[in-house]
């Protein structure tokens, strides 16, 4: 892909993720990066922001929870600041939702795991609250 965008890896390239994939090829499905912690990108959390800004729907950070949390915070800040437009975020959420709607019925156990407010989500919510309270004290 160096001939299309010599300055960036494919996962971070608007010329590839947006112009080629979405516009030229008219791809309407999910665009998912490879694992951003593999070493090609120095800062995986920043890579997640760049990838989503370039047109990815899901940026994979597969190993380090701290990097995942950092990426989520940076993505939220990028959306708030307009670096990632609300329209792009909305379109991405719609593609993710459509994929869940399409594939979840085939995996009933996954449907329960993804249902907001289930027991696992409530337990995770309690854990997050405890972590935040420990940080602030």
């Amino acid at each position: 892909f160096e001939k299309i965008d010599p300055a960036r890896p494919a996962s971070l390239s608007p010329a590839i993720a947006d112009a080629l994939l979405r516009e030229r090829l008219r791809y309407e499905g999910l665009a998912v990066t490879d694992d951003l912690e593999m070493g090609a990108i120095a800062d995986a959390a920043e890579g997640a922001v760049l990838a989503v800004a370039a047109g990815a729907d899901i940026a994979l950070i597969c190993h380090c929870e701290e990097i995942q949390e950092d990426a989520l915070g940076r993505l939220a800040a990028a959306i708030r600041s307009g670096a990632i437009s609300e329209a792009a975020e909305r379109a991405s959420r719609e593609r993710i939702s459509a994929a869940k709607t399409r594939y979840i019925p085939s995996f009933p156990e996954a449907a329960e795991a993804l249902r907001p407010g289930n027991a696992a989500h409530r337990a995770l919510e309690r854990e997050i609250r405890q972590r935040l309270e420990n940080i602030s004290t």
Side-chain angles (χ1 to χ4, degrees), residues 112-130:
E112 174 58 23
L114 293 172
R115 186 180 55 78
N118 69 29
H121 287 190
R122 288 191 306 274
L124 179 59
E125 181 182 14
R126 283 190 299 275
E127 179 185 341
I128 291 169
R129 269 197 220 124
Q130 288 175 331

Side-chain angles (χ1 to χ4, degrees), residues 72-93:
L72 286 172
R74 291 188 197 193
L75 282 163
I79 293 165
R80 281 192 304 273
S81 74
I84 296 173
S85 73
E86 288 182 25
E89 180 210 7
R90 185 173 37 260
S92 185
R93 278 190 284 118

Side-chain angles (χ1 to χ4, degrees), residues 7 13-15 28 40 45 54 61 66-67 73-74 81 89-90 95 99 102 109-110 117 120 128 130:
S13 173
E28 295 178 0
I61 297 174
E66 291 81 19
I67 297 173
R74 291 188 197 193
S81 74
E89 180 210 7
R90 185 173 37 260
R95 285 188 291 271
R102 181 175 180 186
E109 64 282 358
I128 291 169
Q130 288 175 331

Side-chain angles (χ1 to χ4, degrees), residues 5 16-17 30-31 33 36-37 42-44 46 50 55 57 72-75 88 92 96 101 121 123 131 135 137:
D5 189 343
I16 294 171
L30 288 177
T33 70
L36 297 175
E37 289 181 282
D43 182 343
E46 181 62 21
L50 295 172
D57 298 305
L72 286 172
R74 291 188 197 193
L75 282 163
S92 185
I96 292 167
T101 299
H121 287 190
R131 283 185 181 187
I135 291 171
T137 57

